[in-house]
């Protein structure tokens, strides 16, 4: 019996083509919650970014797992937990960034800043229909806990040994968009921590996603659903592949599993 559902945003809840969610998605989530199934957002985006972009206005959720599971909030925006990178690691990554001259986006619980724009940054942000973050002093950002560091590098460039400490992990949301997060973060760990507080088991969960940063969550849930527009890795990691986000993918999958 499914008791909780977890949804990625970009390419899952929200169309990468139109930047809005299909009306069928709002209807489906409302129907799930009407049945008592808890619904959570599980995204690489930050809580303030979701609000600023008005991505989910009009849909009610039971909570938000943001920055790829680095911090989690209840429906009222109360912080349930935070798992930032260690201060030493964040500083070491910034040292590498400054030495190698690459674009870097740092995110705390309240703000995000980018060191400079380049074609990679613009391409990645265009892919998710989001305005590039504000420019700012990344050194000043280190005065607060850093939940996520985004590097606009290829997978090969991300193999640089200095970038990944034993206490961190890497996840990808775009060919030139990689997140560094703490080892105990990630959408999968966030999902497991949230459901444990309610006595819900992993096999009582359904999760939806479309990209590399959803893989572990799809595997951890009792039912992992990849969108029709998902990359091949996500489809291979899922139990079921539904239709595209724009073709009522969430609604169709929930009907397939007789959840609505």
């Amino acid at each position: 019996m499914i008791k909780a559902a977890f949804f990625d945003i970009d390419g899952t809840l929200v169309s990468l083509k139109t930047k809005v969610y299909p009306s069928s998605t709002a209807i489906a989530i409302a129907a799930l919650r009407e049945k008592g199934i808890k619904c959570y957002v599980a995204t690489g985006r930050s809580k303030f970014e979701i609000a600023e972009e008005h991505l989910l206005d009009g849909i009610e959720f039971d909570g938000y797992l943001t920055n790829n599971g680095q911090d989690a909030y209840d429906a009222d925006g109360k912080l349930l937990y935070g798992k930032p990178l260690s201060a030493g690691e964040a500083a070491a990554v910034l040292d590498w960034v400054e030495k190698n001259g690459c674009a870097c986006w740092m995110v705390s619980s309240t703000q995000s800043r980018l060191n400079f724009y380049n074609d990679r940054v613009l391409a990645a942000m265009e892919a998710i229909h989001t305005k590039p973050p504000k420019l700012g002093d990344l050194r000043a950002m280190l005065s607060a806990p850093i939940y996520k560091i985004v590097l606009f590098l290829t997978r090969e460039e991300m193999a640089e040994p200095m970038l990944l400490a034993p206490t961190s992990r890497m996840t990808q949301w775009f060919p030139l968009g990689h997140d560094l997060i703490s080892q105990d973060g990630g959408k999968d760990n966030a999902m497991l921590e949230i459901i444990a507080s309610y006595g819900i088991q992993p096999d009582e969960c359904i999760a939806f996603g479309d990209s590399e940063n959803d893989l572990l969550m799809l595997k951890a849930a009792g039912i992992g659903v990849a969108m029709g527009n998902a990359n091949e890795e996500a489809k291979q990691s899922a139990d079921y592949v539904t239709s595209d986000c724009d073709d009522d993918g969430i609604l169709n999958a929930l009907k397939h599993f007789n959840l609505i």
Side-chain angles (χ1 to χ4, degrees), residues 46-63:
S46 60
K47 183 76 163 56
F48 57 83
E49 186 182 354
I50 296 170
E52 289 172 358
E53 296 287 333
H54 303 286
L55 293 170
L56 301 175
D57 289 2
I59 306 182
E60 293 186 7
F61 291 92
D62 293 283

Side-chain angles (χ1 to χ4, degrees), residues 24-248:
S24 64
T25 294
I27 292 169
I29 291 171
L32 281 181
R33 298 186 75 232
E34 184 76 17
K35 291 182 64 175
I37 297 174
K38 295 184 178 297
C39 294
Y40 294 89
V41 173
T43 179
R45 291 180 181 266
S46 60
K47 183 76 163 56
F48 57 83
E49 186 182 354
I50 296 170
E52 289 172 358
E53 296 287 333
H54 303 286
L55 293 170
L56 301 175
D57 289 2
I59 306 182
E60 293 186 7
F61 291 92
D62 293 283
Y64 300 81
L65 316 181
T66 56
N67 289 316
N68 282 316
Q70 297 303 97
D71 47 351
Y73 303 83
D74 66 14
D76 297 321
K78 177 184 177 183
L79 181 66
L80 299 176
Y81 69 76
K83 298 181 178 180
L85 291 157
S86 70
E89 182 175 2
V93 172
L94 184 52
D95 288 343
W96 187 93
V97 163
E98 292 174 345
K99 178 181 178 181
N100 291 275
C102 68
C104 177
W105 174 17
M106 279 191 170
V107 182
S108 72
S109 63
T110 59
Q111 64 175 332
S112 68
R113 291 292 183 269
L114 177 75
N115 56 352
F116 61 81
Y117 300 130
N118 62 15
D119 290 344
R120 293 183 175 192
V121 173
L122 297 177
M125 303 313 291
E126 173 64 24
I128 58 173
H129 301 281
T130 296
K131 294 181 295 186
K134 295 178 181 178
L135 296 177
D137 179 5
L138 298 190
R139 285 287 165 189
M141 289 285 293
L142 296 178
S143 62
I146 299 300
Y147 285 92
K148 180 178 67 178
I149 298 177
V150 184
L151 297 172
F152 299 88
L153 302 173
T154 65
R155 178 59 64 90
E156 292 72 28
E157 290 167 341
M158 286 295 295
E160 166 63 49
M162 284 297 294
L163 285 179
L164 203 60
T167 57
S168 67
R169 63 198 287 193
M170 175 187 73
T171 187
Q172 182 182 31
W173 50 272
F174 184 71
L176 293 172
H178 292 81
D179 294 351
L180 289 179
I181 59 177
S182 63
Q183 185 62 44
D184 59 353
K187 295 183 181 185
D188 55 325
N189 287 330
M191 181 187 79
L192 295 174
E193 187 156 342
I194 288 294
I195 63 174
S197 68
Y198 290 103
I200 298 173
Q201 300 302 311
D203 61 3
E204 296 175 314
C205 297
I206 186 170
F208 291 77
D210 73 307
S211 62
E212 193 270 348
N213 66 355
D214 298 312
L215 302 185
L216 294 178
M217 179 177 71
L218 295 179
K219 292 177 181 178
I223 301 173
V225 179
M227 308 304 290
N229 49 274
N231 65 24
E232 197 56 37
E233 282 185 294
K235 290 178 179 178
Q236 291 293 328
S237 298
D239 301 294
Y240 179 72
V241 179
T242 186
S243 50
D244 286 13
C245 171
D246 296 281
D247 294 325
D248 305 326

